[in-house]
């Protein structure tokens, strides 16, 4: 907006200055140095054109001692010269038609913008003025009215000229300015174009990157509006989709070897294999040359429409090395009948631009004097004298009859007419708008009072009305052209650079993009038709970090883009079942992660089962112990009347054997899936069994049968009461233990109350200690049988087993904890059974001759003049000592 105000102020200043000053004081402050084509004589309407025929402006000497003259141009561009000739061809074709502007003869004024903003502004001012010396805000020339400007080449050139032309509501139709900023009708009210808006191309590039799963790309853009806006729109879309930019470099507009070297170094050091380039061929060519010097390969380039089919980039022997496999976007392609004939039918002497073109392609000069001077210089450098050949026709002189058809140049190549076709459409758009203006019927016109404009004298804004509303079909292609807010539909061919059988790069269409279609139908890519760099068929991978597979999660690296991450395995109990998961999912209570950590699987249900080998083994041992115990009881029944059985109190022996059968069998209740009844039965049966067993052992040491019976009843009654209270108030019950082991659910019994179970087994421990003490004291009462020693050994085994049981039990989990408990029960039971009853069975079955009353009597063994007491006497003493304890227990 500020630029528009400045230009308006500048024009107003010139107007006032020219009005107030005398004619003699008018001065031209500077001279423009423009080249081009002009044909305005006897023409009805003049169309302007602007093309970057040269690549840059020539350096000036900076002399300020004379009237300033704008710099000339250098670096002839064959491709853009073809565009210029296409405009001339289209105007000539229209003038010959009888159905389009039949009564109007079109003229033209075409200037060379030299791919420079200053030259483009010079050309626009000169065109508006109507004379070679530009006077802002004035139309000084006479003759045919100006219709519209076709140009001005690159986007930054069009931005500059469109701001100026917009001040005068002068129509401008661009053939190659794609920058999205030009879509603003507030800034550029009269700008139109026959090439798609870059917002479509940026979207198409983003869709291609996402289509192939590339998440790590580099970008390079020209330092102009075309590059900056195009790459900005692209980056916004891909970054929103999760793609990361490895680097973002800008190509210098003026020669800068340092900047080019820096960009090459960035490309070499980056791990990104995909590089998106928004640039013209002119700006990109220095970088390509430097990359070739550094032999940079193994990169896939994504090309914008400005260079995707440029021969300046696709040079023989260059592109094959590191640009083969490039994917790019090209605007619509078309064949234009008659254009090639026009391109080849040039008069080299017609104008200065054509003369320069001729000298460039044939590497000669049309100037005889120049050719002679060059020949003399070469001859002098060779032998120091002038040869006779110099006196004739000098070498290097063009004849003017050379054949363009024999040359294979970009200029004469009509196989990829894309921007060229856009120029053709732009000229026809202006022609159809003029045709509609010319054939307006009075009284039905679009202007005030339904009036029409005069084709021989109309205002630019009047033509602008018809330009915005024009609708026509392009000759030969039948493509329908119309403008929506100055733009046409966004259609692109997706082009792949493939090496053909001759070793050259050919452009193969491998897809389409249509910005006007539905979202799901906009892009179509034939993946199988693409040949990537190094002539492989598989798309290259370009990622900062490889995908995190299921079972891992992404760990972001500090200070790096989100696409650069580490894959961290999920912790135990957590899973990730998607690629590139950001977080691991915690498995629910009854589930645990599998080894791959990608699925939650049910936890292993663990308990000591009947059918597993360990369970079967323990059952067999338990049953064996019970059977052996019963067998011992049978032996005692068979020998019930023998002295040995009588001496050992049959009631106590049978109660002890019964208690051992109970302990053997109760161990089986611990096996199997815990149920409510089994949890209640197992501990109670164990406690009662050991209480009965230990009380029987103590009873055997305490003596009288009546007191023994009373003692056993007291013990069992006490245990029974305690167990009954326990089972009523806080009974044991089965639980699922999920905390002991992460991967398992252990089915076990919760004891309900620690207090009760501690009381019960504390009572058993007390009985065991008392039984051990009595047995230990009685070991010195010698008799032939030594029963007290056997009981002492039995109790020692009992204590050793259960003392060892505690650390073993606490260090195990799951079914092995139950197995340890069963083993302790069985070991202690076998220890008591073996130590107490094995000697007796030995006498009863193996040595029956010892089973006599004499052998059962205690032996007197004098020691230091005293006699040793008998077992009976110690039992009597024990009875007296413990009578009080028994009576107290009965009262309870």
């Amino acid at each position: 907006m500020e630029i528009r105000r400045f230009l308006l102020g500048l024009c107003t200043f010139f107007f006032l200055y020219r009005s107030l000053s005398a004619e003699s004081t008018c001065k031209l402050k500077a001279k423009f140095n423009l080249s081009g084509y002009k044909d305005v004589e006897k023409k009805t309407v003049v169309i302007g054109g602007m093309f970057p025929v040269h690549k840059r402006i020539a350096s000036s000497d900076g002399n300020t001692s004379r009237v300033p003259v704008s710099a000339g141009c250098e670096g002839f561009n064959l491709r853009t010269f073809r565009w210029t000739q296409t405009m001339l061809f289209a105007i000539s074709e229209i003038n010959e038609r009888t159905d389009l502007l039949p009564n109007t003869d079109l003229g033209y004024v075409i200037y060379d913008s030299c791919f420079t903003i200053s030259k483009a502004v010079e050309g626009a001012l000169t065109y508006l003025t109507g004379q070679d010396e530009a006077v802002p805000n004035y139309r000084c020339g006479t003759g045919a009215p100006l219709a519209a400007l076709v140009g001005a080449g690159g986007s930054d050139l069009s931005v500059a000229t469109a701001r100026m032309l917009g001040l005068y509501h002068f129509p401008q139709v661009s053939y190659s300015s794609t920058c999205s900023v030009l879509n603003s009708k507030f800034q550029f009210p009269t700008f139109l174009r026959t090439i798609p808006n870059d917002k479509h191309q940026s979207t198409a590039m983003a869709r291609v990157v996402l289509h192939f799963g590339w998440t790590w790309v580099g970008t390079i853009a020209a330092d102009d509006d075309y590059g900056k806006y195009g790459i900005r729109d692209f980056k916004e879309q891909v970054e929103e989709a999760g793609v990361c930019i490895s680097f973002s470099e800008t190509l210098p507009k003026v020669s800068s070897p340092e900047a080019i070297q820096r960009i090459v170094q960035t490309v070499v050091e980056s791990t990104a294999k995909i590089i998106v380039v928004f640039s013209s061929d002119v700006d990109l060519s220095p970088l390509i040359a430097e990359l070739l010097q550094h032999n940079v390969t193994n990169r896939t380039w994504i090309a914008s429409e400005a260079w995707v089919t440029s021969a300046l980039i696709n040079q023989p022997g260059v592109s094959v090395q590191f640009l083969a496999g490039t994917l790019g976007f090209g605007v619509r392609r078309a064949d234009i009948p008659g254009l090639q004939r026009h391109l080849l039918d040039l008069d080299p002497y017609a104008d200065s631009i054509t003369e320069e073109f001729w000298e460039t392609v044939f590497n000669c000069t049309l100037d005889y004097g120049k050719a002679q001077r060059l020949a003399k210089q070469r001859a002098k450098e060779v032998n120091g004298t002038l040869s006779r050949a110099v006196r004739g026709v000098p070498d290097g002189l063009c004849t003017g009859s050379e054949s363009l058809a024999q040359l294979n140049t970009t200029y004469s190549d009509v196989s990829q007419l894309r921007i060229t076709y856009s120029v053709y459409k732009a000229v026809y758009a202006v022609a159809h708008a003029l045709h509609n203006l010319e054939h307006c019927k009075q009284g039905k016109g679009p202007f005030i009072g339904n009036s029409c404009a005069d084709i021989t004298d109309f205002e630019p804004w009047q033509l602008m009305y018809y330009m915005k509303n024009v609708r026509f079909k392009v000759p030969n292609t039948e493509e329908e052209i119309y403008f929506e807010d100055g733009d046409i539909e966004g259609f692109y061919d997706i082009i792949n650079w493939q090496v053909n059988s001759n070793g050259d790069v050919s452009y193969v269409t491998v897809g389409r993009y249509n910005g006007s279609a539905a979202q799901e139908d906009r892009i179509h890519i034939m993946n199988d038709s693409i040949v990537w760099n190094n002539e492989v068929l598989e798309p290259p991978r370009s990622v900062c970090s490889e995908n995190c597979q299921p079972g891992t999660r992404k760990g972001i690296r500090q200070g790096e883009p989100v696409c650069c991450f580490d894959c961290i395995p999920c912790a135990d109990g957590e899973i990730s079942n998607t690629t590139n998961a950001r977080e691991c999912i915690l498995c629910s209570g009854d589930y645990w992660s599998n080894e791959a950590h990608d699925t939650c699987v049910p936890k292993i249900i663990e308990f000591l089962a009947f059918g597993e080998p360990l369970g079967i083994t323990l059952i067999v041992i338990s049953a064996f112990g019970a059977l052996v115990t019963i067998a011992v009881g049978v032996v005692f029944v068979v020998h019930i009347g023998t002295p040995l059985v009588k001496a050992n109190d049959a009631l106590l022996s049978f109660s002890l054997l019964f208690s051992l059968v109970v302990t053997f069998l109760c161990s089986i209740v611990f096996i199997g899936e815990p149920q409510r009844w089994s949890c209640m039965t197992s501990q109670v049966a164990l406690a009662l069994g050991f209480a009965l067993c230990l009380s029987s052992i103590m009873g055997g040491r305490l003596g009288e049968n009546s007191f023994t019976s009373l003692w056993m009843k007291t013990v069992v009654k006490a245990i029974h009461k305690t167990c009954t209270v326990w089972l009523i108030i806080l009974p044991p019950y089965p639980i699922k233990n999920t905390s002991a082991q992460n991967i398992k659910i252990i089915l076990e019994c919760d004891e309900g109350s620690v207090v009760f179970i501690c009381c019960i087994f504390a009572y058993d421990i007390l009985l065991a200690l008392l039984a051990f003490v009595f047995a230990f004291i009685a070991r010195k009462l010698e008799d032939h049988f030594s029963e007290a020693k056997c009981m002492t050994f039995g109790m020692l085994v009992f204590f050793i087993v259960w003392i060892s049981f505690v650390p073993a039990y606490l260090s195990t989990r799951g079914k092995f904890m139950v197995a340890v408990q069963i083993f302790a029960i069985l070991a202690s039971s076998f220890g008591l059974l073996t130590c107490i009853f094995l000697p007796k069975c030995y006498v009863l079955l193996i040595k029956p001759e010892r089973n006599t009353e004499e052998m059962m009597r205690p032996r007197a063994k004098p020691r230091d003049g005293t006699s040793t007491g008998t077992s009976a006497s110690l039992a009597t003493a024990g009875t007296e000592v413990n009578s009080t304890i028994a009576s107290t227990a009965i009262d309870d």
Side-chain angles (χ1 to χ4, degrees):
M1 192 65 186
E2 288 76 9
I3 295 177
R4 295 184 65 189
R5 289 174 178 171
F6 169 75
L7 291 173
L8 282 171
L10 181 66
C11 293
T12 304
F13 169 77
F14 273 100
F15 172 75
L16 293 174
Y17 178 82
R18 188 176 179 87
S19 300
L20 295 176
S21 302
E23 183 178 354
S24 59
T25 61
C26 288
K27 296 179 181 179
L28 193 63
K29 297 300 182 183
K31 290 185 178 180
F32 293 162
N33 182 15
L34 295 170
S35 60
Y37 295 92
K38 188 174 183 179
D39 183 10
V40 297
E41 297 296 329
K42 299 181 181 180
K43 301 299 181 181
T44 310
V45 180
V46 174
I47 300 178
M50 199 172 295
F51 297 88
V53 178
H54 289 84
K55 301 175 184 177
R56 55 191 172 272
I57 59 174
S59 58
S60 60
D61 56 8
N63 191 340
T64 58
S65 62
R66 58 178 182 268
V67 177
V69 178
S70 63
C73 302
E74 63 183 10
F76 201 89
N77 191 328
L78 299 181
R79 185 186 183 205
T80 53
F81 183 64
R82 184 181 69 221
W83 300 350
T84 308
Q85 291 298 320
T86 301
M87 180 174 178
L88 296 177
F89 169 76
I91 291 176
S92 175
E93 188 178 68
I94 292 169
N95 285 336
E96 294 176 0
R97 292 182 57 165
T98 58
D99 59 334
L100 182 62
L101 294 173
N103 303 317
T104 299
D105 196 12
L106 297 179
Y108 52 84
V109 175
I110 301 175
Y111 293 114
D112 179 9
S113 69
C114 298
F115 207 67
T116 308
I117 293 178
S118 60
K119 282 293 180 182
V121 172
E122 289 179 14
L125 285 172
T126 303
Y127 178 64
L128 288 172
T129 301
Q131 59 185 32
D132 293 339
E133 297 175 353
V135 182
N137 213 36
Y138 273 83
R139 169 66 176 167
C140 302
T142 59
L146 305 179
L149 177 68
V150 175
S155 293
D156 53 339
L157 309 185
S158 288
V159 167
T161 57
R163 293 187 189 278
M164 184 183 304
L165 296 175
L167 297 174
Y168 305 100
H169 302 284
F170 200 94
Q172 177 181 353
V173 186
S174 177
Y175 50 84
S176 65
S177 300
T178 60
C179 181
S180 59
V181 73
L182 287 164
N183 194 47
S184 172
K185 294 302 132 186
F186 177 75
Q187 299 183 69
F188 313 102
T190 60
F191 180 82
L192 307 100
R193 51 188 161 194
T194 55
I195 192 170
N197 189 330
D198 267 345
K199 67 179 183 181
H200 297 296
Q201 183 168 207
S202 297
T203 301
M205 283 183 169
R207 293 283 291 269
V208 166
V209 168
L210 297 178
H211 174 82
F212 290 108
W214 297 322
T215 59
W216 188 236
V217 300
T219 63
I220 299 176
D223 190 14
D224 53 25
D225 292 332
Y226 170 72
K228 291 178 181 178
Y229 283 97
I231 212 68
R232 184 201 67 180
D233 293 344
F234 166 78
K235 288 167 66 176
E236 286 178 355
Q237 295 184 60
V238 295
E239 287 178 337
E240 184 178 351
V243 177
C244 296
I245 305 300
S246 172
F247 62 86
S248 189
E249 294 290 343
T250 302
L251 293 169
K253 292 295 290 184
V254 296
S255 177
S256 176
E258 296 81 8
I260 295 298
Q261 285 284 355
R262 176 179 51 79
I263 296 173
V264 170
Q265 191 66 24
T266 300
V267 172
V268 171
E269 293 177 354
S270 173
T271 57
K273 303 302 181 184
I274 307 299
I275 302 176
V276 178
V277 181
F278 244 105
S279 171
S280 66
D281 52 354
V282 175
D283 291 334
L284 181 60
S285 56
L287 176 62
I288 296 299
E290 193 64 28
L291 289 170
L292 180 62
Q293 292 294 324
H294 286 75
N295 194 28
V296 179
T297 58
N298 196 26
R299 302 292 191 278
T300 297
W301 302 81
I302 308 299
S304 63
E305 98 295 335
W307 67 274
V308 68
T309 57
S310 170
L312 187 63
I313 304 299
N314 181 16
Q315 297 181 8
V318 175
S319 56
V320 174
Q321 294 187 36
F322 68 99
L323 289 180
T326 293
L327 276 183
F329 295 84
V331 296
R332 284 188 187 271
R333 175 192 169 279
D335 294 324
I336 304 176
L339 176 61
Q340 188 171 38
R341 179 183 293 275
H342 172 84
L343 296 176
L344 298 177
D345 189 18
L346 287 184
D347 181 3
Y349 301 102
D351 53 81
S352 61
I353 292 184
T354 307
E355 181 178 339
E356 183 181 359
F357 161 73
W358 201 272
E359 293 177 346
T360 300
V361 296
F362 290 109
N363 193 25
C364 60
T365 178
L366 291 167
D367 185 341
Y368 182 86
K370 181 179 178 181
Q372 193 172 38
R373 288 194 300 272
L374 291 174
K376 289 180 180 180
Q377 184 178 354
R378 286 194 297 270
K380 190 174 182 180
E381 291 174 353
V382 172
N383 50 27
T385 59
L386 295 180
S387 63
R388 294 185 178 181
V390 176
R391 299 167 188 163
V393 178
D395 295 334
L397 179 66
C398 300
T399 64
S401 59
E402 289 85 358
S403 175
L404 290 172
Q406 295 179 356
L407 296 178
N408 183 19
T409 64
T410 304
Y411 168 75
S412 58
D413 183 8
V414 294
S415 62
Q416 293 289 330
L417 299 182
R418 297 183 185 274
I419 305 297
T420 302
Y421 178 52
S422 184
V423 173
Y424 189 72
K425 291 186 288 186
V427 176
Y428 265 89
V430 176
H432 277 276
L434 287 170
H435 181 87
N436 294 338
L437 182 149
E438 181 180 21
H439 290 80
C440 172
K441 295 183 180 179
Q442 289 296 334
K444 296 182 179 180
F447 307 116
I448 298 176
N450 296 328
S451 61
C452 296
D454 184 2
I455 188 69
T456 61
D457 187 18
F458 60 88
E459 296 296 329
W461 58 267
Q462 292 177 312
L463 178 61
M464 188 63 203
Y465 168 82
Y466 290 101
M467 289 294 302
K468 291 192 298 184
N469 295 283
V470 73
R471 197 179 191 101
F472 68 97
K473 290 185 177 181
V474 183
N476 307 306
T477 66
E478 296 301 311
E479 178 189 355
E480 188 173 31
I481 299 297
Y482 59 91
F483 298 106
E484 290 185 359
D485 293 328
D487 289 334
I488 62 172
E489 65 177 359
F491 183 90
Y492 297 92
D493 289 331
I494 301 176
I495 300 171
N496 181 215
W497 288 28
Q498 299 182 9
V499 180
N500 57 28
S501 57
N502 297 326
D504 298 326
V505 169
S506 58
Y507 307 117
V508 178
T509 299
V510 294
R512 300 280 189 275
Y513 178 84
N514 187 355
S516 302
Q519 281 288 345
E520 62 275 10
D521 298 327
R522 287 189 176 182
I523 193 166
H524 173 66
I525 301 176
M526 296 176 288
N527 295 339
D528 296 338
S529 300
I530 300 175
V531 177
W532 302 96
N533 53 350
N534 299 328
E535 297 188 7
V536 296
L537 299 179
E538 290 296 323
R541 287 185 56 77
S542 185
V543 294
C544 182
S545 300
E546 292 295 335
N547 290 333
C548 288
Q549 299 302 316
T552 62
R553 65 175 179 86
K554 293 167 63 174
I556 302 302
R557 297 175 185 169
Q558 193 68 26
E560 296 189 32
V562 295
C563 297
C564 301
F565 49 82
D566 296 316
C567 296
I568 303 174
C570 292
D572 289 340
E574 296 182 347
I575 67 159
S576 64
N577 51 16
T578 60
T579 303
N580 290 333
R582 294 188 177 275
E583 297 293 339
C584 294
I585 305 169
L586 183 65
C587 294
S588 59
D590 291 346
Y591 289 85
W592 193 251
S593 56
N594 61 354
E595 290 187 5
H597 290 273
D598 58 3
T599 304
C600 285
V601 296
K603 289 184 177 180
I604 300 171
I605 305 297
E606 183 176 278
F607 59 90
L608 186 57
F610 289 105
E612 63 178 292
L614 181 58
I616 294 172
T617 302
L618 293 175
I619 291 172
V620 170
I621 295 173
S622 300
F624 174 75
L627 291 175
V628 170
T629 305
I630 294 172
V632 172
V634 171
V635 170
F636 269 58
V637 170
V638 171
H639 299 84
I640 192 70
T642 63
L644 179 60
V645 176
K646 289 179 180 180
N648 282 277
D649 193 338
L651 176 61
L652 288 176
S653 296
F654 285 121
S655 64
L656 180 57
L657 290 170
F658 173 75
S659 65
L660 290 175
V661 171
V662 171
T663 56
F664 277 121
L665 295 179
C666 77
S667 62
I668 299 177
V669 183
F670 286 87
I671 303 174
E673 182 177 350
Q675 304 293 331
R676 191 172 188 84
W677 68 267
S678 63
C679 290
M680 296 172 65
T681 304
S682 57
Q683 299 294 354
V684 172
L686 178 62
L688 290 173
F690 275 127
L692 180 59
C693 176
L694 296 170
S695 63
S696 299
I697 295 173
M698 285 190 64
R701 296 295 93 208
L702 293 176
E704 298 293 336
N705 288 342
S706 59
F707 185 80
T708 300
S709 177
L710 180 62
W711 167 259
M712 293 175 59
K713 289 180 180 179
T714 301
V715 172
V716 173
K717 185 177 181 180
I719 293 291
H720 182 267
K721 286 182 178 180
T722 306
C723 291
T724 302
V725 174
W726 177 28
L727 295 178
I728 293 174
I729 298 177
L730 292 170
Y733 57 92
I735 62 168
K736 291 181 178 180
N737 186 344
T738 59
S739 60
Q741 295 188 37
N742 291 329
I743 63 174
K744 295 179 180 179
I745 297 176
I746 300 174
L747 301 184
E748 60 186 16
C749 293
D750 188 296
E751 307 307 339
S753 172
V754 178
V755 175
F756 278 109
I757 195 170
C758 287
C759 290
I760 293 172
F761 286 101
Y763 196 75
D764 283 344
I765 293 172
L766 177 61
L767 292 176
L769 288 173
L770 291 175
F772 175 72
V773 169
F774 280 104
F776 183 76
I777 294 173
R779 80 188 192 286
K780 294 183 179 181
L781 303 178
E782 297 293 341
D783 55 24
H784 293 284
F785 185 66
S786 299
E787 181 183 5
K789 290 183 179 180
C790 294
M791 288 189 176
T792 301
F793 280 117
M795 292 310 300
L796 282 174
V797 171
F798 184 88
F799 277 114
I800 291 172
V801 169
W802 286 102
I803 290 172
S804 303
F805 159 78
V806 173
Y809 183 81
L810 295 177
S811 63
T812 56
R813 291 289 184 270
K815 64 181 180 180
F816 296 104
M817 180 181 286
V818 178
V820 168
Q821 188 173 7
I822 296 174
F823 175 80
I825 295 170
L826 296 177
S828 59
S829 299
F830 274 113
L832 292 173
L833 178 64
T834 302
C835 291
I836 296 174
F837 290 99
L838 181 60
K840 297 175 183 180
C841 290
Y842 176 77
V843 173
L844 292 174
L845 299 176
I846 305 300
K847 297 291 184 178
E849 65 273 11
R850 295 184 183 180
N851 190 4
T852 63
E853 291 186 5
E854 182 180 356
M855 294 298 293
M856 298 300 112
R857 292 174 185 164
R859 290 180 299 173
K861 187 176 182 182
R863 182 177 299 172
D864 298 331
T866 61
S867 61
T868 305
T870 63
S871 176
S873 62
L874 184 59
T876 304
T879 302
E880 294 174 355
V881 172
N882 293 283
S883 60
T884 307
I885 299 175
S887 62
T888 304
I890 294 172
D891 292 338
D892 292 338

